[in-house]
Amino acid sequence: MAQANLSPEATKTPPIEGHPHLPDWKWYDYFTFNIDHKVIGIQYLVLAFIFYLIAGLMAVAMRTELATPDSDFMDPSLYNALLTNHGTIMIFLWIVPAAIGGFGNYLVPLMIGARDMAFPKLNALAFWLNPPAGALLLGSFLFGGAQAGWTSYPPLSVITANTAQSMWILAVVLVGTSSIMGSVNFLVTIWKMRVPSMKWDQLPLFCWAMVATSFLALFSTPVLAAGLILLLFDINFGTGFFQPDAGGNVVVYQHLFWFYSHPAVYLMILPIFGIMSEVIPVHARKPIFGYKAIAYSSLTISIVGLFVWVHHMFTSGTPPWMRIFFTISTLIVAVPTGIKIFSWVATLWGGKIRFTSAMLFAVGLLSMFVFGGLSGVTLGTAPFDIHVHDTYYVVGHFHYVLFGGSVFGIYAGIYHWFPKMTGRMLNETLGRLHFVLTFIGTNLTFAPMHELGMQGMPRRVAMYDPQFVGLNQLATIGAFTLGISVLPMLINVIWSWSRGPKAGGNPWNALTLEWTTPSPPPVENWTILPAVTHGPYEYGVGIQPPQPDQPALDEA
Ligand code: HEM
Ligand SMILES: [Cu+2]
């Protein structure tokens, strides 16, 4: 087997219409309607990170309130507004846009040897729906802030109906539209624009994950949009779709909402799984174990994931036969997920592991995700779920998955691809400090919540019974640790972006195609498109990693 590199039979394609042929982007290009997928990817990542910091401050404010049983730090209605916006922003404006919009746009064309996404302008449009969505959410505080939680269940969301609640709905519909546009683009790009020599079984696993994610988003997002628009009508025009006294049904809303929002957890986690499958083999210097198993398990998760949404509704008057069906389908999703976990562990087994910051976060994710996954299995089982429903057990569970499972993966991805994106290396000492603080902070914040939940502390409250104070204070200390943990990363990114040591084309000696262009890659990625002659993860079997040295695109 030869290597992924420029080869004589490599194809040469004409440049894309509408691309200005600059050698490089200037900083102000990132503030414009730019149609280059790399610019868009970075726009997504940076904007999402800003929202992450904002929603993180909201979390710290909530945890400060919860340091004491009374509501003495803020007004309960402000607490509700912070709670609602924290959850909404973290999911819709941080994890989803960072994992899918950020890494997806940046990496997919580079990994398949394309010059851009299939529809570059649609891509830019999809990104530019995000800033107004964020503005609507933050602006809603001027009107008291949406209070009904990130699920926005009626009748509460209709009874407390106000401008802020409508702004919340419009914001979520905007990001949903953005994600539908993105999904179409990813599917067409991966289907149609791979270099001719790349067979399906040479497609990097991150791209497989994007295929699964995009299918899932296409099926589920329109359902959420429909539910939210009906809710908007209920609030503003007095239609009674979800109002029992007008002949409507509140449970219908829950079905529409969870038909999207359960899959939404896979929208967040599948791209992260993709990142794991790229980071682990490179930093363990071993071929990935079970390439096909990982690729197919992504697709299985996205299909089975569409049939489990009722596990969020075990206490909504769901009849027992339905509880049984949805308990079983939920537990079945654990199988393809387990397959992935075992594949990564088997990849690590006997590897020459380099504990880089990227690898630390990947291994950290493994441990946290297994923990969060197991508490998820307990919740997917109807009898236990009925016991701890709407308690802090649930909050503990989903933060393990979302923080330990998704945010750790985004961090791993940032440490892994920062050199490619910026041409500079991140500082590893700051990276390790970031990891240690994050790992301690996450466990200190979210582990006590499981116990609180089993003792019966309800979620979504600003006040609680004094018997819960000890564990709450532990969680609040953890929250401050997490708040501080972001600092080494921020300093690292800002400092290294301008002053870090130069990265070179392939600092990790990786084999996927994105490492065959210079760092950062020139506009249109390649002078001559690369040819693929072997699988993407054949480490340690005598293949020389490519060391790109061609100059930036000039003759195009
Ligand atoms: C990036 C990762 C995070 C995500 C995706 C996330 C997501 C969520 C979601 C969806 C909710 C539910 C909101 C609702 O019920 O309307 C929530 C609630 C909450 N989160 Fe986070 N969160 C994240 C990080 C954090 C952090 C770092 C902290 C603490 C430092 C935190 C503390 C809380 C608290 C205290 C609640 C209220 C729980 C309740 O009363 O039900 N979250 N989060
Ligand atoms: Cu679910």
Side-chain angles (χ1 to χ4, degrees), residues 258 262 265 308 311-312:
W258 286 112
H262 182 78
V265 309
V308 304
H311 64 211
H312 295 272

Side-chain angles (χ1 to χ4, degrees), residues 32-113:
T32 60
F33 191 88
N34 196 303
I35 62 174
D36 183 275
H37 72 99
K38 299 183 291 301
V39 175
I40 295 173
I42 290 175
Q43 285 176 324
Y44 266 114
L45 278 174
V46 171
L47 184 74
F49 199 80
I50 293 172
F51 282 124
Y52 173 54
L53 295 180
I54 295 173
L57 287 177
M58 293 179 178
V60 170
M62 284 193 286
R63 281 309 326 170
T64 309
E65 169 62 70
L66 295 171
T68 59
D70 290 330
S71 162
D72 36 21
F73 179 63
M74 65 176 81
D75 178 77
S77 77
L78 176 60
Y79 183 90
N80 286 344
L82 288 177
L83 167 75
T84 304
N85 284 281
H86 159 78
T88 310
I89 293 177
M90 284 295 195
I91 289 181
F92 292 115
L93 288 166
W94 157 235
I95 298 188
V96 172
I100 304 179
F103 289 109
N105 279 308
Y106 196 93
L107 294 173
V108 164
L110 284 169
M111 284 183 160
I112 62 175

Side-chain angles (χ1 to χ4, degrees), residues 301-338:
I301 290 175
S302 87
I303 294 165
V304 183
L306 284 169
F307 295 97
V308 304
W309 77 96
V310 174
H311 64 211
H312 295 272
M313 300 167 62
F314 285 147
T315 60
S316 305
T318 308
W321 67 266
M322 241 197 215
R323 288 177 179 167
I324 294 172
F325 174 82
F326 284 99
T327 293
I328 293 173
S329 59
T330 301
L331 298 185
I332 287 177
V333 189
V335 175
T337 313

Side-chain angles (χ1 to χ4, degrees), residues 207-463:
C207 298
W208 272 113
M210 292 307 296
V211 172
T213 310
S214 304
F215 267 121
L216 197 54
L218 275 185
F219 276 107
S220 60
T221 318
V223 178
L224 173 76
L228 288 181
I229 288 168
L230 296 184
L231 188 66
L232 193 68
F233 282 14
D234 272 12
I235 292 176
N236 292 292
F237 307 120
T239 52
F241 294 112
F242 306 127
Q243 303 312 306
D245 49 2
N249 186 338
V250 289
V251 177
V252 171
Y253 176 86
Q254 298 190 10
H255 280 291
L256 296 176
F257 181 83
W258 286 112
F259 188 78
Y260 166 80
S261 290
H262 182 78
V265 309
Y266 305 113
L267 296 186
M268 292 182 266
I269 207 69
L270 283 171
I272 302 293
F273 285 171
I275 292 175
M276 291 288 281
S277 301
E278 301 299 328
V279 170
I280 288 181
V282 177
H283 296 265
R285 307 309 301 163
K286 257 190 71 189
I288 192 131
F289 182 90
Y291 170 91
K292 283 194 177 144
I294 295 182
Y296 293 152
S297 64
S298 290
L299 299 176
T300 316
I301 290 175
S302 87
I303 294 165
V304 183
L306 284 169
F307 295 97
V308 304
W309 77 96
V310 174
H311 64 211
H312 295 272
M313 300 167 62
F314 285 147
T315 60
S316 305
T318 308
W321 67 266
M322 241 197 215
R323 288 177 179 167
I324 294 172
F325 174 82
F326 284 99
T327 293
I328 293 173
S329 59
T330 301
L331 298 185
I332 287 177
V333 189
V335 175
T337 313
I339 289 177
K340 283 185 195 287
I341 306 266
F342 283 118
S343 298
W344 296 324
V345 173
T347 308
L348 289 170
W349 188 270
K352 284 207 204 91
I353 300 178
R354 297 181 290 193
F355 279 106
T356 52
S357 306
M359 188 59 149
L360 285 175
F361 275 106
V363 176
L365 185 150
L366 271 181
S367 63
M368 310 282 287
F369 188 80
V370 167
F371 189 88
L374 289 178
S375 67
V377 168
T378 64
L379 284 171
T381 316
F384 184 78
D385 177 69
I386 291 167
H387 179 61
V388 295
H389 180 75
D390 263 344
T391 68
Y392 258 86
Y393 189 91
V394 177
V395 183
H397 152 69
F398 70 69
H399 282 94
Y400 260 88
V401 183
L402 291 174
F403 204 103
S406 297
V407 176
F408 273 52
I410 294 175
Y411 285 155
I414 289 174
Y415 284 100
H416 186 67
W417 282 294
F418 186 88
K420 177 52 56 184
M421 297 181 176
T422 64
R424 305 273 183 170
M425 299 302 287
L426 282 168
N427 179 295
E428 282 291 318
T429 311
L430 282 172
R432 288 203 184 99
L433 178 65
H434 175 214
F435 171 75
V436 170
L437 286 174
T438 313
F439 194 80
I440 295 173
T442 313
N443 286 294
L444 202 56
T445 313
F446 301 117
M449 294 186 182
H450 294 85
E451 178 60 21
L452 278 171
M454 284 194 287
Q455 291 177 8
M457 174 162 162
R459 63 185 284 206
R460 296 183 171 170
V461 289
M463 285 167 272

